[in-house]
Amino acid sequence: MHESRLFKILYHLLQNGRASAPQLAQELEVSVRTIYRDIDALSSAGIPVFTENGRNGGIYLMEDFTLDRTLLSEQEKQEILTALQGVQAAPGTDHALILQKLSALFQTPADDWLEVDFARWGSHPTDNTKFETLKTAIIERKCLKITYTASSMHSTERIIYPLKLFYKGQAWYLKSYCTLKQDFRLFKLNRILSLEPLEESFRCGPFPQTVEDSPFEQEVTLSFPCEMAYRVYDEFDPEQVAIQEDGTLFVRAKLPDDNWLIGFLLSFGPNVTVLTPAHLKDDLAEQARRIYEKNKSFDKP
């Protein structure tokens, strides 16, 4: 507590220039005598802190005492604050005090430029809770018990070693070691139906470049009418899109070769044409036929 109070005094002076002993005492909820003892402790530690009597006096640091004396450039200090803003955006974190301290030490404003909500549209706050649970388990190297639904629609209960959160192709994944499969696996977060932190810690090597459950990517070429441009640019990088003379949008991209791809293409309704590969065109048509057969009405007027 004593060390924490000393640092609070230090960054208060860095941020505000100077302060009176009564002001510091009131802010830190200690006596004025305690503040003077803390000032002596800072001075003994080599911090150039001074006191001055009189109407315009007070407690202050030597001018220009900042982290400018380190090897950090202005750009590097700003990048540190920017990175911390990104961490602050994650659910369940409260780095505002750290951000305030570093901003004072650097004498650099930390603009609030980023906000992230990990929950899906219209979803319950459990999405954010899931992220916080996973983050804690990864950092503390704790095992997790999860219930997972694979692309085969079969649900299993597994004990995993969570290694890293991974964002790819508009979806979040969890890089892990699965004790059920005795191998590394990639789990899609939306398919983790439940997760329970365990007390057991784990040791594990780094996640390999390729794993068995990673989706195999295939090159796909697609065609869209010009009125679908808003959706096409939502889903694809502009470098993957070529505009034809008639306004048609031609897309060439590598996409996962699994059940997700069929659902993704069906989300465009009749406004997508699969050009290649041929088997994907057939699979999409077959799935559309099944949907029609299941939902067609026999009560025609």
Side-chain angles (χ1 to χ4, degrees):
M1 179 62 185
H2 176 62
E3 290 76 9
S4 175
R5 191 172 65 247
L6 293 179
F7 194 79
K8 287 179 180 178
I9 292 173
L10 179 59
Y11 84 76
H12 180 91
L13 295 177
L14 283 165
Q15 190 171 42
N16 298 287
R18 65 175 63 208
S20 67
Q23 286 174 335
L24 292 173
Q26 181 178 4
E27 181 175 334
L28 300 176
E29 299 180 343
V30 295
S31 67
V32 172
R33 179 175 295 182
T34 297
I35 292 297
Y36 280 120
R37 284 201 299 264
D38 289 341
I39 297 303
D40 288 337
L42 287 171
S43 182
S44 299
I47 305 297
V49 58
F50 303 94
T51 59
E52 184 176 314
N53 296 325
R55 182 177 179 180
N56 296 320
I59 302 168
Y60 62 96
L61 292 165
M62 184 176 69
E63 189 175 356
D64 296 330
F65 175 74
T66 68
L67 287 185
D68 287 332
R69 297 184 179 185
T70 71
L71 297 178
L72 291 175
S73 67
E74 289 299 322
Q75 181 179 353
E76 289 169 335
K77 288 186 286 186
Q78 188 59 60
E79 286 176 355
I80 290 173
L81 295 174
T82 299
L84 190 55
Q85 281 283 359
V87 175
Q88 173 70 9
T93 60
D94 186 11
H95 295 91
L97 181 58
I98 301 174
L99 192 61
Q100 182 184 6
K101 289 178 180 179
L102 287 179
S103 181
L105 288 170
F106 293 160
Q107 292 191 345
T108 302
D111 296 326
D112 188 8
W113 66 278
L114 178 66
E115 181 177 347
V116 177
D117 185 352
F118 289 96
R120 291 162 286 186
W121 286 106
S123 66
H124 193 269
T126 50
D127 274 353
N128 282 333
T129 303
K130 180 187 291 185
F131 269 86
E132 175 61 17
T133 302
L134 291 172
K135 183 197 74 174
T136 302
I138 292 169
I139 292 173
E140 297 182 356
R141 310 288 283 182
K142 295 292 187 181
C143 300
L144 287 172
K145 179 190 291 186
I146 67 168
T147 302
Y148 187 73
T149 298
S151 57
S152 63
M153 306 303 173
H154 180 61
S155 296
T156 56
E157 189 174 271
R158 309 164 181 237
I159 305 296
I160 64 170
Y161 304 161
L163 300 175
K164 183 182 292 186
L165 285 169
F166 173 61
Y167 186 79
K168 177 73 173 178
Q170 301 184 356
W172 282 97
Y173 298 86
L174 179 63
K175 292 183 175 183
S176 305
Y177 181 85
C178 177
T179 59
L180 177 66
K181 300 295 184 179
Q182 293 291 297
D183 203 354
F184 292 94
R185 288 291 186 269
L186 196 64
F187 297 106
K188 196 169 185 177
L189 257 60
N190 289 344
R191 297 178 187 169
I192 298 178
L193 305 183
S194 67
L195 70 163
E196 176 188 347
L198 303 177
E199 290 299 322
E200 180 186 356
S201 299
F202 67 85
R203 281 186 168 185
C204 188
F207 194 83
Q209 290 293 326
T210 57
V211 297
E212 184 178 327
D213 275 5
S214 298
F216 172 76
E217 291 185 338
Q218 61 178 332
E219 187 169 274
V220 176
T221 53
L222 310 167
S223 177
F224 300 89
C226 58
E227 58 267 24
M228 291 299 292
Y230 76 97
R231 177 74 193 283
V232 170
Y233 288 112
D234 273 350
E235 304 291 350
F236 300 100
D237 189 282
E239 294 184 357
Q240 298 173 315
V241 182
I243 304 177
Q244 307 301 302
E245 290 185 1
D246 61 355
T248 300
L249 301 171
F250 180 84
V251 174
R252 184 186 301 274
K254 287 188 175 181
L255 298 173
D257 184 14
D258 59 14
N259 291 337
W260 170 87
L261 180 55
I262 297 297
F264 171 70
L265 294 175
L266 285 171
S267 70
F268 289 94
N271 295 304
V272 59
T273 301
V274 176
L275 303 177
T276 62
H279 74 83
L280 178 60
K281 190 179 186 74
D282 294 339
D283 292 345
L284 184 64
E286 174 61 19
Q287 191 67 19
R289 185 192 66 78
R290 292 181 182 179
I291 292 173
Y292 170 75
E293 291 294 333
K294 189 173 184 178
N295 291 278
K296 68 180 180 180
S297 173
F298 294 98
D299 300 324
K300 295 182 179 180

